[in-house]
Amino acid sequence: MAGVAMKRYTARGVVLNTVKYGDRGLIVQLLTSSHGRQSYIVQGVGSRARGSKMALFQPMFALEFEGLESAKMELHRFGEVHSGVVLQSTPFDVKKSTIALFMAEVLHRLVKESEANEMLFDFVWGSVEALDAATEGVANFHLWFLSNLCRFLGFSPGNEYMPDAWFDIAEGHFTTSCPPREHRMSQQNALILRDMLECDVRYLAEVGLNRHQRVDFLDALLAYYAYHLDTIHSVQSIRILQEVF
Protein backbone atom coordinates (compact mmCIF):
# COMPACT_ATOMS: atom_id res chain seq x y z
CA MET A 1 0.00 0.00 0.00
CA ALA A 2 1.61 3.24 -1.20
CA GLY A 3 2.42 5.78 1.47
CA VAL A 4 1.87 3.39 4.37
CA ALA A 5 4.93 2.19 6.29
CA MET A 6 4.77 -1.59 6.57
CA LYS A 7 6.60 -3.61 9.18
CA ARG A 8 7.60 -7.09 8.04
CA TYR A 9 7.99 -10.11 10.27
CA THR A 10 8.33 -13.87 9.84
CA ALA A 11 6.21 -16.27 11.86
CA ARG A 12 4.42 -19.56 11.98
CA GLY A 13 0.66 -19.86 12.29
CA VAL A 14 -2.20 -22.35 12.56
CA VAL A 15 -5.48 -21.56 10.79
CA LEU A 16 -8.45 -21.20 13.14
CA ASN A 17 -11.16 -19.66 10.98
CA THR A 18 -11.87 -17.96 7.67
CA VAL A 19 -14.58 -15.46 6.72
CA LYS A 20 -15.41 -14.41 3.16
CA TYR A 21 -14.51 -10.79 2.43
CA GLY A 22 -16.07 -9.36 -0.71
CA ASP A 23 -16.08 -11.40 -3.90
CA ARG A 24 -12.50 -12.62 -3.89
CA GLY A 25 -11.17 -12.00 -0.41
CA LEU A 26 -10.83 -13.82 2.88
CA ILE A 27 -10.19 -12.78 6.44
CA VAL A 28 -8.09 -15.55 7.95
CA GLN A 29 -7.70 -15.88 11.70
CA LEU A 30 -4.53 -17.60 12.86
CA LEU A 31 -2.94 -18.57 16.12
CA THR A 32 0.57 -17.26 15.47
CA SER A 33 3.95 -17.71 17.08
CA SER A 34 4.62 -13.95 17.07
CA HIS A 35 1.30 -12.17 17.69
CA GLY A 36 -0.98 -14.70 19.42
CA ARG A 37 -4.36 -14.71 17.71
CA GLN A 38 -4.26 -12.43 14.68
CA SER A 39 -6.43 -11.68 11.62
CA TYR A 40 -5.08 -11.41 8.07
CA ILE A 41 -6.74 -10.18 4.90
CA VAL A 42 -6.12 -12.22 1.75
CA GLN A 43 -7.13 -11.05 -1.73
CA GLY A 44 -7.59 -13.07 -4.92
CA VAL A 45 -9.06 -16.30 -3.56
CA GLY A 46 -12.59 -16.12 -4.96
CA SER A 47 -14.41 -18.73 -7.01
CA ARG A 48 -12.35 -17.93 -10.11
CA ALA A 49 -9.09 -18.34 -8.26
CA ARG A 50 -9.24 -21.75 -6.66
CA GLY A 51 -5.50 -22.11 -6.40
CA SER A 52 -2.89 -22.90 -3.85
CA LYS A 53 -3.73 -19.89 -1.68
CA MET A 54 -7.24 -21.09 -0.93
CA ALA A 55 -5.98 -24.60 -0.24
CA LEU A 56 -3.67 -23.31 2.50
CA PHE A 57 -6.39 -21.77 4.64
CA GLN A 58 -8.17 -24.86 5.96
CA PRO A 59 -8.87 -25.47 9.69
CA MET A 60 -5.68 -26.41 11.59
CA PHE A 61 -3.39 -26.08 8.57
CA ALA A 62 0.07 -25.05 9.76
CA LEU A 63 1.71 -22.19 7.86
CA GLU A 64 5.05 -20.44 7.67
CA PHE A 65 4.72 -16.89 6.43
CA GLU A 66 5.93 -13.34 6.16
CA GLY A 67 3.48 -10.95 7.79
CA LEU A 68 2.94 -7.26 7.09
CA GLU A 69 1.54 -4.87 9.67
CA SER A 70 0.97 -1.15 9.93
CA ALA A 71 -0.36 1.16 12.62
CA LYS A 72 -2.84 2.44 10.02
CA MET A 73 -4.26 -1.01 9.18
CA GLU A 74 -6.49 -2.99 11.50
CA LEU A 75 -5.76 -6.27 9.73
CA HIS A 76 -2.36 -7.75 8.96
CA ARG A 77 -1.46 -8.97 5.48
CA PHE A 78 0.64 -11.80 4.12
CA GLY A 79 3.80 -11.42 2.12
CA GLU A 80 5.04 -14.91 1.39
CA VAL A 81 2.99 -17.80 2.80
CA HIS A 82 3.45 -21.54 2.44
CA SER A 83 2.72 -24.78 4.25
CA GLY A 84 4.72 -25.32 7.43
CA VAL A 85 3.64 -28.95 7.90
CA VAL A 86 2.88 -30.94 4.75
CA LEU A 87 -0.16 -32.92 5.90
CA GLN A 88 -0.17 -36.49 4.64
CA SER A 89 -3.47 -37.80 6.04
CA THR A 90 -5.58 -35.26 7.94
CA PRO A 91 -7.27 -33.62 4.88
CA PHE A 92 -8.16 -37.02 3.42
CA ASP A 93 -9.39 -38.83 6.55
CA VAL A 94 -12.93 -37.96 7.68
CA LYS A 95 -12.20 -38.72 11.33
CA LYS A 96 -9.02 -36.66 11.41
CA SER A 97 -10.54 -33.76 9.49
CA THR A 98 -13.52 -33.76 11.87
CA ILE A 99 -11.14 -33.56 14.84
CA ALA A 100 -9.15 -30.78 13.13
CA LEU A 101 -12.36 -28.79 12.62
CA PHE A 102 -13.20 -29.22 16.31
CA MET A 103 -9.70 -28.21 17.46
CA ALA A 104 -9.78 -25.10 15.28
CA GLU A 105 -13.21 -24.07 16.54
CA VAL A 106 -12.27 -24.62 20.18
CA LEU A 107 -9.17 -22.45 19.78
CA HIS A 108 -11.12 -19.83 17.80
CA ARG A 109 -13.76 -19.58 20.55
CA LEU A 110 -11.47 -19.76 23.57
CA VAL A 111 -8.19 -18.03 22.67
CA LYS A 112 -8.60 -14.26 22.35
CA GLU A 113 -5.17 -12.86 23.26
CA SER A 114 -3.22 -11.02 20.57
CA GLU A 115 0.05 -11.62 22.40
CA ALA A 116 2.55 -14.39 21.76
CA ASN A 117 2.16 -17.44 24.00
CA GLU A 118 5.04 -19.70 23.08
CA MET A 119 3.95 -22.71 25.14
CA LEU A 120 0.37 -22.64 23.82
CA PHE A 121 1.56 -22.20 20.25
CA ASP A 122 4.08 -25.05 20.47
CA PHE A 123 1.37 -27.33 21.91
CA VAL A 124 -1.04 -26.49 19.08
CA TRP A 125 1.61 -26.84 16.35
CA GLY A 126 2.72 -30.17 17.83
CA SER A 127 -0.91 -31.32 17.95
CA VAL A 128 -1.27 -30.66 14.21
CA GLU A 129 1.79 -32.84 13.56
CA ALA A 130 0.66 -35.55 15.99
CA LEU A 131 -2.85 -35.83 14.54
CA ASP A 132 -1.49 -36.16 11.01
CA ALA A 133 1.03 -38.81 12.09
CA ALA A 134 -1.43 -40.86 14.16
CA THR A 135 -2.17 -44.38 12.90
CA GLU A 136 -3.95 -45.67 16.02
CA GLY A 137 -5.99 -44.11 18.80
CA VAL A 138 -7.43 -41.37 16.56
CA ALA A 139 -10.85 -41.72 18.22
CA ASN A 140 -9.26 -40.52 21.48
CA PHE A 141 -7.35 -37.59 20.01
CA HIS A 142 -9.92 -34.84 20.69
CA LEU A 143 -10.14 -36.02 24.31
CA TRP A 144 -6.35 -35.87 24.69
CA PHE A 145 -6.30 -32.40 23.09
CA LEU A 146 -8.97 -30.94 25.39
CA SER A 147 -7.50 -32.59 28.48
CA ASN A 148 -4.11 -31.02 27.82
CA LEU A 149 -5.19 -27.69 26.32
CA CYS A 150 -6.47 -26.49 29.71
CA ARG A 151 -2.84 -26.47 30.92
CA PHE A 152 -2.31 -23.41 28.68
CA LEU A 153 -5.63 -21.69 29.41
CA GLY A 154 -5.13 -21.27 33.13
CA PHE A 155 -7.17 -24.05 34.73
CA SER A 156 -5.03 -27.16 34.60
CA PRO A 157 -5.69 -29.81 37.28
CA GLY A 158 -3.77 -28.60 40.31
CA ASN A 159 -2.69 -31.84 41.95
CA GLU A 160 -1.78 -35.46 41.32
CA TYR A 161 -4.34 -38.21 40.86
CA MET A 162 -4.87 -40.61 43.75
CA PRO A 163 -6.65 -44.01 43.61
CA ASP A 164 -10.48 -43.89 43.53
CA ALA A 165 -10.50 -40.10 43.30
CA TRP A 166 -13.21 -37.90 41.89
CA PHE A 167 -12.32 -34.67 40.11
CA ASP A 168 -13.77 -31.41 41.43
CA ILE A 169 -14.32 -29.22 38.36
CA ALA A 170 -14.83 -26.06 40.45
CA GLU A 171 -11.65 -26.45 42.48
CA GLY A 172 -9.71 -28.02 39.63
CA HIS A 173 -8.26 -30.90 41.59
CA PHE A 174 -8.55 -34.61 42.28
CA THR A 175 -10.13 -35.47 45.62
CA THR A 176 -11.06 -38.54 47.63
CA SER A 177 -14.01 -36.59 49.11
CA CYS A 178 -17.05 -36.71 46.86
CA PRO A 179 -17.67 -33.17 45.47
CA PRO A 180 -21.18 -31.68 45.05
CA ARG A 181 -23.01 -33.26 42.13
CA GLU A 182 -22.90 -30.14 39.95
CA HIS A 183 -19.10 -29.96 40.30
CA ARG A 184 -18.32 -33.66 40.21
CA MET A 185 -16.43 -35.60 37.57
CA SER A 186 -17.05 -39.29 38.22
CA GLN A 187 -14.33 -41.60 39.45
CA GLN A 188 -14.23 -43.33 36.06
CA ASN A 189 -13.85 -40.02 34.21
CA ALA A 190 -11.30 -38.76 36.72
CA LEU A 191 -9.19 -41.82 35.95
CA ILE A 192 -9.54 -41.20 32.19
CA LEU A 193 -8.50 -37.58 32.75
CA ARG A 194 -5.39 -38.80 34.56
CA ASP A 195 -4.63 -41.14 31.66
CA MET A 196 -5.06 -38.36 29.08
CA LEU A 197 -2.79 -36.00 31.02
CA GLU A 198 -0.06 -38.62 31.39
CA CYS A 199 -0.33 -40.37 28.02
CA ASP A 200 2.21 -39.71 25.29
CA VAL A 201 0.07 -38.77 22.27
CA ARG A 202 1.75 -41.51 20.22
CA TYR A 203 0.25 -44.18 22.49
CA LEU A 204 -3.37 -42.99 22.68
CA ALA A 205 -4.58 -46.36 21.43
CA GLU A 206 -3.50 -47.81 24.79
CA VAL A 207 -6.22 -45.79 26.53
CA GLY A 208 -8.94 -48.33 25.80
CA LEU A 209 -12.29 -46.53 25.62
CA ASN A 210 -15.56 -47.58 24.03
CA ARG A 211 -17.97 -45.17 22.36
CA HIS A 212 -20.08 -44.68 25.51
CA GLN A 213 -16.99 -43.88 27.60
CA ARG A 214 -15.73 -41.37 25.03
CA VAL A 215 -19.08 -39.56 24.90
CA ASP A 216 -19.40 -39.52 28.68
CA PHE A 217 -15.85 -38.27 29.21
CA LEU A 218 -16.28 -35.56 26.55
CA ASP A 219 -19.41 -34.36 28.36
CA ALA A 220 -17.43 -34.27 31.63
CA LEU A 221 -14.60 -32.31 30.00
CA LEU A 222 -17.06 -29.83 28.52
CA ALA A 223 -18.60 -29.30 31.96
CA TYR A 224 -15.10 -28.59 33.31
CA TYR A 225 -14.40 -26.13 30.50
CA ALA A 226 -17.82 -24.50 30.81
CA TYR A 227 -17.27 -23.79 34.50
CA HIS A 228 -14.10 -21.86 33.67
CA LEU A 229 -14.80 -20.64 30.11
CA ASP A 230 -18.47 -20.32 29.23
CA THR A 231 -17.66 -19.78 25.54
CA ILE A 232 -17.17 -23.55 25.12
CA HIS A 233 -20.97 -23.70 24.73
CA SER A 234 -20.70 -21.94 21.37
CA VAL A 235 -18.55 -24.69 19.79
CA GLN A 236 -20.86 -26.12 17.13
CA SER A 237 -18.64 -28.99 15.96
CA ILE A 238 -19.11 -30.86 19.26
CA ARG A 239 -22.30 -32.36 17.83
CA ILE A 240 -20.43 -33.68 14.77
CA LEU A 241 -17.75 -35.22 16.99
CA GLN A 242 -20.38 -37.06 19.02
CA GLU A 243 -21.82 -38.51 15.81
CA VAL A 244 -18.46 -39.61 14.36
CA PHE A 245 -17.00 -41.01 17.59
Side-chain angles (χ1 to χ4, degrees):
M1 295 178 65
V4 178
M6 305 289 283
K7 178 183 176 184
R8 295 176 179 268
Y9 59 92
T10 57
R12 295 180 296 156
V14 176
V15 179
L16 305 184
N17 188 51
T18 58
V19 178
K20 189 176 179 183
Y21 181 75
D23 291 333
R24 299 184 61 192
L26 283 179
I27 294 175
V28 182
Q29 293 181 327
L30 301 180
L31 181 67
T32 73
S33 58
S34 58
H35 292 73
R37 175 174 163 163
Q38 193 59 243
S39 296
Y40 296 78
I41 188 166
V42 184
Q43 301 286 5
V45 292
S47 58
R48 295 181 181 178
R50 296 180 185 275
S52 58
K53 273 189 180 180
M54 189 68 179
L56 287 172
F57 303 124
Q58 306 301 315
M60 295 306 287
F61 273 37
L63 309 177
E64 294 178 349
F65 64 95
E66 178 187 61
L68 306 171
E69 64 175 322
S70 165
K72 295 185 178 181
M73 298 191 317
E74 184 177 348
L75 301 177
H76 291 212
R77 292 175 180 263
F78 289 116
E80 294 294 322
V81 57
H82 59 270
S83 179
V85 176
V86 179
L87 299 176
Q88 304 293 330
S89 63
T90 300
F92 316 107
D93 181 313
V94 65
K95 290 185 177 181
K96 289 187 178 184
S97 57
T98 299
I99 291 171
L101 182 66
F102 171 73
M103 291 162 62
E105 190 180 0
V106 165
L107 293 166
H108 177 242
R109 300 291 185 188
L110 302 189
V111 178
K112 303 297 184 184
E113 295 79 12
S114 55
E115 297 176 1
N117 182 331
E118 183 179 354
M119 289 191 294
L120 171 62
F121 182 81
D122 287 347
F123 169 71
V124 172
W125 185 276
S127 296
V128 172
E129 295 176 313
L131 178 61
D132 193 61
T135 56
E136 297 180 306
V138 173
N140 291 334
F141 196 94
H142 59 296
L143 304 175
W144 174 87
F145 179 77
L146 270 188
S147 297
N148 286 276
L149 177 63
C150 63
R151 298 178 191 268
F152 309 98
L153 300 180
F155 55 99
S156 177
N159 64 340
E160 296 292 323
Y161 176 83
M162 64 282 291
D164 300 320
W166 289 270
F167 185 74
D168 187 322
I169 67 174
E171 298 298 327
H173 64 224
F174 296 101
T175 175
T176 53
S177 301
C178 186
R181 177 179 293 274
E182 65 272 19
H183 296 154
R184 182 192 312 158
M185 190 181 290
S186 72
Q187 290 167 305
Q188 182 186 40
N189 285 329
L191 180 59
I192 297 171
L193 177 60
R194 188 282 308 265
D195 290 344
M196 290 295 170
L197 291 170
E198 293 186 357
C199 183
D200 184 306
V201 68
R202 294 170 296 176
Y203 305 111
L204 272 175
E206 295 181 11
V207 183
L209 303 178
N210 60 37
R211 179 185 175 86
H212 172 75
Q213 289 172 314
R214 281 193 292 271
V215 170
D216 192 53
F217 180 58
L218 177 59
D219 286 343
L221 275 180
L222 294 174
Y224 180 37
Y225 268 74
Y227 183 85
H228 298 276
L229 292 170
D230 187 59
T231 47
I232 194 71
H233 289 306
S234 61
V235 176
Q236 301 296 314
S237 53
I238 291 169
R239 187 183 72 257
I240 303 171
L241 268 186
Q242 290 169 331
E243 292 172 2
V244 174
F245 298 104

